[in-house]
Amino acid sequence: MEQAYQHPDPRSPSIDHVRTIAAGGADTRGNVRLTHWGCNHERNASTPLEAVEEAEAQRAVLLRIPALQAFAESLKAEDMVRRSQAFHSPERYRAKLARRVERYEREGR
């Protein structure tokens, strides 16, 4: 029998926007999925870069910020997409969820 997890357990169910609202995603059935609350909380408003054009647009924003200009100049769009995809990998989220569950259980909630 499967246990029904309740919030604030990190394994409890949560509705996640695939393309975040902050990134222009719609609040529609086609843009949501069921995920663990811990994974959804970890991802927050972060959406993986899908294309070089998205990375270039993000880099252009950074170039307009004086304190980040030198950093932005060192970025390559292809590397940005690759790092973004690695950051949002299912394996990374599984590992983070396992750590959250361990901490949750250790604290005896």
Side-chain angles (χ1 to χ4, degrees):
M1 184 167 123
E2 250 184 73
Q3 181 175 353
Y5 299 106
Q6 300 292 318
H7 185 272
D9 189 313
R11 295 165 290 193
S12 64
S14 176
I15 301 294
D16 179 37
H17 289 87
V18 177
R19 183 91 175 150
T20 64
I21 300 295
D27 197 16
T28 62
R29 184 181 195 120
N31 190 44
V32 296
R33 62 184 168 198
L34 187 63
T35 188
H36 297 108
W37 177 85
C39 295
N40 196 359
H41 185 264
E42 177 66 31
R43 183 171 168 239
N44 202 358
S46 178
T47 299
L49 296 171
E50 299 290 335
V52 170
E53 294 78 21
E54 287 178 312
E56 288 170 348
Q58 194 175 76
R59 184 175 176 270
V61 170
L62 296 175
L63 284 168
R64 292 193 300 262
I65 303 170
L68 298 175
Q69 195 170 25
F71 170 70
E73 288 171 351
S74 72
L75 296 174
K76 293 184 177 154
E78 296 83 8
D79 293 337
M80 292 172 69
V81 172
R82 201 171 17 264
R83 282 194 301 269
S84 176
Q85 294 293 320
F87 181 82
H88 290 283
S89 74
E91 295 79 21
R92 181 179 171 278
Y93 283 118
R94 276 193 283 276
K96 293 286 260 185
L97 179 62
R99 288 192 295 273
R100 276 182 182 263
V101 168
E102 181 183 319
R103 188 177 77 217
Y104 178 83
E105 290 177 343
R106 185 176 57 243
E107 292 172 356
R109 294 190 200 185

